[in-house]
Amino acid sequence: MNINNVYFPTWEKDLDWGGNSGESTLARIPSYITHVTLSFLRPDLEGFDLNKDMNRLFYDGNIPLYKLKDEIFYCKKNGGNSRVVLASVGGEIAGNFDKVNYCNLVDSIIGLGLDGIDIDYEPNGVMTQTEDEVNRYCTIISSLRYEFDKRSKITGKKYLISCAPTGVGLFSKDKFEKNSNKYLDVISRLKGIVPIDEQGEELKIGVLGDDNILKQPNYFVGSLASVFNFDSAGKMLDVFLMVNKGNSLNDYQFIGQMVDIVFYQAYNIGSGNILSRIMCYEEHRELSDYFNSVKDGSGFIIGHGSHVGKEAWPHFSFTKKRMGYIYTYINKFGRNGDGASFWSYFSSVEDSSDYLPNYGMGYKKNYELFKHVSSLLDIEGVTD
């Protein structure tokens, strides 16, 4: 089944925590949302106790943890047998994960009835710029995998690890210059999806260094080459392909094989066009397929990350039409199981920037977009 994940910020107001069990906003998330990721757990949290308040584990929230556990239970129940609920650890506020208690993190995930953990390691808001940050990311993944697998031997349950790296984390300038034939193959497929009058911008490969020229208002969306102005470009490949050397995790040859789902952030990449965002998918799929070739079942599932509304920079607007291009491509040319991820469940769809195309956003409420993408991905449970 294809996936559609939403990040659920716990700091939002009016989450209806105070009502009867199963009546909270979390519990009532529509069934066509297959994955829900609660944000954000504290990396350095102390021991787990259901009688403590939520803000002892998360950065926000003032309800008791036993109440949160109830709402997680109903979120999974109301979402159907396939609903997955994770908790995301970190975020920009967590810095460089200087203090992490992996045992407490795993105990908390299991104690709350969650299915696993999502790693949102964002040192300096950019991710894996340096060798030290690459090594830290590897340590975070392998340490959590070790703790989860140790618990699995007792409970018999498989606990999931996902992560949310930057979308350009598998790209490098060197790979960009060598992959022209691959880009042309993807462009050929996209030409059957993107209208002719938009192909000049949305499918442009470009040249390195053209991003400053193309970041202009009035519907100039840039090129694939414009994403290489990021210090983290290419660095996640170093993380995922790091050879596993310890923690008694003999079933995993590479660090990337310890990860079950990658919700890569194919957003906040400036003026990157539709081609650049689809290439984020293709690069992740290629790596996941490689892991599967090494050992069947060791590749990760992919959730292509999009914003709701405008991009934070904001040089790109996530219109209904553009979401149609991206997720039609993934459904038509991608793998079974892959799909979408959104930041966030509560984001506004308003966009008054000069970068909004003339045809407009195309939807007025965020749930309209979630339903639209779920239908594009052939996810069950989409009703009017």
Side-chain angles (χ1 to χ4, degrees):
M1 183 189 73
N2 294 334
I3 63 174
N4 193 4
N5 174 68
V6 293
Y7 279 88
F8 188 96
T10 57
W11 58 83
E12 293 288 341
K13 298 179 180 179
D14 303 322
L15 297 180
D16 298 325
W17 294 127
N20 295 325
S21 294
E23 294 181 352
S24 68
T25 305
L26 174 62
R28 293 183 286 108
I29 290 177
S31 61
Y32 53 80
I33 301 295
T34 66
H35 291 58
V36 179
T37 306
L38 304 179
S39 306
F40 287 106
L41 276 177
R42 299 173 180 267
D44 58 348
L45 59 86
E46 298 178 358
F48 178 69
D49 185 343
L50 282 173
N51 291 309
K52 299 294 186 180
D53 279 351
M54 184 175 168
N55 59 16
R56 295 290 293 272
L57 263 66
F58 292 79
Y59 285 109
D60 300 272
N62 58 4
I63 61 171
L65 286 172
Y66 64 78
K67 173 64 174 173
L68 177 62
K69 182 175 182 178
D70 275 352
E71 300 312 305
I72 290 170
F73 168 81
Y74 282 103
C75 178
K76 293 174 69 173
K77 179 181 178 181
N78 295 337
N81 295 330
S82 59
R83 170 66 60 80
V84 172
V85 184
L86 310 168
S88 186
V89 58
E92 287 189 17
I93 197 171
N96 203 33
F97 280 53
D98 290 323
K99 295 180 180 180
V100 189
N101 191 317
Y102 298 106
C103 184
N104 284 346
L105 279 170
V106 168
D107 285 344
S108 300
I109 293 298
I110 296 173
L112 288 170
L114 292 159
D115 298 300
I117 198 166
D118 175 71
I119 302 167
D120 197 352
Y121 175 57
E122 298 187 39
N124 305 311
V126 182
M127 306 178 194
T128 53
Q129 299 179 83
T130 67
E131 183 178 352
D132 285 344
E133 289 169 352
V134 167
N135 290 331
R136 177 66 62 88
Y137 212 147
C138 291
T139 298
I140 294 169
I141 293 172
S142 60
S143 298
L144 285 169
R145 184 78 276 163
Y146 174 75
E147 293 292 341
F148 275 130
D149 285 3
K150 188 165 64 174
R151 305 306 195 282
S152 292
K153 292 177 181 178
I154 300 171
T155 66
K157 177 177 178 177
K158 163 74 172 179
Y159 298 101
L160 303 175
I161 293 178
S162 66
C163 63
T166 178
V168 298
L170 296 188
F171 279 121
S172 66
K173 293 180 180 179
D174 183 58
K175 283 192 73 175
F176 168 74
E177 292 172 331
K178 292 180 179 179
N179 275 8
S180 59
N181 288 337
K182 185 174 182 180
Y183 305 145
L184 294 177
D185 289 342
V186 173
I187 289 172
S188 177
R189 298 180 198 133
L190 281 169
K191 282 183 176 180
I193 298 173
V194 179
I196 293 177
D197 61 341
E198 297 175 31
Q199 291 178 8
E201 294 176 21
E202 297 288 15
L203 307 186
K204 185 174 182 178
I205 296 176
V207 295
L208 294 174
D210 69 2
D211 54 303
N212 291 325
I213 299 172
L214 292 163
K215 289 180 180 178
Q216 301 174 37
N218 300 319
Y219 196 25
F220 283 87
V221 297
S223 69
L224 169 63
S226 67
V227 305
F228 294 100
N229 197 35
F230 291 80
D231 293 331
S232 55
K235 297 296 176 60
M236 275 308 293
L237 195 60
D238 297 335
V239 173
F240 286 141
L241 287 179
M242 183 74 71
V243 176
N244 174 42
K245 297 178 181 178
N247 280 336
S248 302
L249 295 167
N250 298 324
D251 290 337
Y252 309 97
Q253 181 175 347
F254 300 103
I255 295 296
Q257 292 175 308
M258 301 178 188
V259 176
D260 302 287
I261 311 171
V262 178
F263 298 127
Y264 60 82
Q265 299 181 24
Y267 49 82
N268 293 353
I269 55 176
S271 58
N273 56 5
I274 290 293
L275 175 61
S276 67
R277 293 159 207 269
I278 290 297
M279 287 309 305
C280 287
Y281 173 74
E282 289 291 351
E283 293 293 313
H284 282 83
R285 175 169 66 168
E286 181 180 26
L287 181 58
S288 179
D289 287 345
Y290 169 69
F291 288 149
N292 280 321
S293 72
V294 172
K295 180 180 179 181
D296 187 42
S298 67
F300 47 76
I301 295 171
I302 298 168
H304 176 98
S306 298
H307 268 173
V308 176
K310 67 181 179 181
E311 188 152 290
W313 293 94
H315 298 291
F316 187 88
S317 301
F318 289 85
T319 66
K320 185 176 181 180
K321 284 180 65 175
R322 283 174 170 163
M323 296 302 91
Y325 307 153
I326 291 171
Y327 296 108
T328 295
Y329 181 95
I330 291 175
N331 191 40
K332 187 173 182 179
F333 299 108
R335 305 178 307 175
N336 290 333
D338 296 341
S341 179
F342 285 99
W343 181 268
S344 72
Y345 189 62
F346 301 100
S347 295
S348 169
V349 303
E350 296 179 3
D351 185 357
S352 58
S353 73
D354 292 329
Y355 299 90
L356 178 65
N358 294 330
Y359 57 74
M361 190 61 71
Y363 57 102
K364 296 181 179 180
K365 300 290 185 181
N366 51 17
Y367 74 86
E368 296 175 21
L369 180 59
F370 302 145
K371 288 178 65 174
H372 174 59
V373 170
S374 292
S375 65
L376 292 172
L377 295 171
D378 295 324
I379 293 172
E380 295 181 0
V382 181
T383 61
D384 294 331

